[in-house]
Amino acid sequence: MTFADGQRYVGQAVDVVTRFCAHRRTWSDIVEIAFRRVSRSQLDEAERDQIRRREAAGVQLRNVVHTTGRLSASELDLLIPPAEQQRWLTADEPQPVRLADRPVDSTLRHRTSHRFSRLKADPRFTDELARLVGVYLRATMPAPALTELSYWTVSALPGTNAGAYPRLFTVSVHALETLYVCHRKHTPHELEIHLNIDRSAARSRLRARLGLALMHTAEARYRIRPGVLGLRFTSTRSAHDALTRPGIIKAARKLNLDLMRKGPALNWKTHCPELIEHVLSI
């Protein structure tokens, strides 16, 4: 669809008429619609391909899903100026976090306190694992104290995929889990640490320099963000080692910043302030 201001939107539909009517209720400035038939099994790939083509041509899109970041002004720019975002993206230093500067939400603290108590009492949640989360937040989140809760969240014992891969905790940016620890349902003591990074940023560096040969990698497929490279670790030590590698840190920063530019954190209701204080104080 093309809009009066020249922006466009790429989407997919099984029933084009019904889908177009739904979009008309959202946007009143549609001036043109074009579509082509593809097989139902190819809808997702065709949609991603058309979005990539338009982004490469510099077309401004109103899409959130599949795009690499909003091309128009982002609300994040009001909090962190774009020039400052770019400096952070290429810098090497971790971000300092003062606990006193963090957001205060007593209702949220009360709501998630019981989950934090259960997590802290779990012998699998070691100080080394907690320290890993603190290292990750300082290394890969822009202005962590400013963006916490608004753009990224940490959940203790969330219900995500509890039937197959229960989580100990998750770090989420916008709507994507970017760091999480889980285990297979029937092997609770075999923990896996998953770290998602930007695939294109990682691919731009030599595989040997990133050290990815030492890790399990897979191209994760998420509707919220294509081109995610998933790293899986079976020990806290190997995950710590990954977060000392500039290439991995920069690829993690790229993914997190793009997700923040898409919009605010969607999992804020399960954000656990006590868990944040714990991991940042170790």
Side-chain angles (χ1 to χ4, degrees), residues 80 85 88-89 91-97 132-144 147 151-152 154 171-173 178-179 195-198 239 242-260 280:
I80 307 173
Q85 295 176 33
W88 169 81
L89 199 56
D92 295 322
E93 301 79 14
Q95 297 285 288
V97 184
L132 174 70
V133 184
V135 169
Y136 174 77
L137 295 177
R138 292 185 178 96
T140 70
M141 298 295 180
T147 52
Y151 290 94
W152 62 267
V154 178
V171 179
S172 301
V173 183
T178 58
L179 174 71
L195 170 65
N196 283 329
I197 62 177
D198 183 84
L243 289 176
T244 66
R245 300 174 184 269
I248 290 179
I249 291 174
K250 285 180 169 55
R253 287 186 175 193
K254 176 66 165 58
L255 175 63
N256 290 349
L257 185 60
D258 275 348
L259 289 168
M260 288 184 185
L280 292 178

Side-chain angles (χ1 to χ4, degrees), residues 208-253:
R209 286 178 60 193
L210 282 173
L212 297 184
L214 303 176
M215 309 163 198
H216 298 283
T217 66
E219 184 169 358
R221 292 187 177 274
Y222 300 99
R223 283 191 61 79
I224 192 65
R225 176 65 156 83
V228 174
L229 184 67
L231 307 182
R232 179 170 61 88
F233 309 92
T234 54
S235 75
T236 306
R237 182 176 179 178
S238 60
H240 267 291
D241 180 63
L243 289 176
T244 66
R245 300 174 184 269
I248 290 179
I249 291 174
K250 285 180 169 55
R253 287 186 175 193

Side-chain angles (χ1 to χ4, degrees), residues 50 69 75 79 96 103 130 140 151 154 170 182 187 205 215 218 240 252 264 268 278:
Q50 292 299 318
E75 291 182 8
L79 189 64
T140 70
Y151 290 94
V154 178
T170 62
C182 66
T187 54
R205 296 167 179 270
M215 309 163 198
H240 267 291
W268 62 271
H278 179 69

Side-chain angles (χ1 to χ4, degrees), residues 10 12 36 42 44 48 78 94 101 118 120 122 141 144 150 152 170 172 178 183 191 203 210 218 241 253 272 278:
V10 178
Q12 59 168 278
R36 67 181 177 88
Q42 297 298 312
D44 286 342
R48 285 192 291 265
L78 303 177
D101 294 337
R118 286 171 51 205
K120 193 175 180 182
D122 192 321
M141 298 295 180
S150 297
W152 62 267
T170 62
S172 301
T178 58
H183 59 84
L191 295 182
R203 191 170 53 183
L210 282 173
D241 180 63
R253 287 186 175 193
C272 185
H278 179 69

Side-chain angles (χ1 to χ4, degrees), residues 119 122 124-125 129 155-158 165-170 180-183 188 191 275:
L119 177 62
D122 192 321
R124 297 172 299 174
F125 185 59
L129 196 53
S155 303
L157 299 172
Y165 282 89
R167 269 66 161 156
L168 282 189
F169 62 81
T170 62
Y180 61 96
V181 174
C182 66
H183 59 84
L191 295 182
L275 178 53

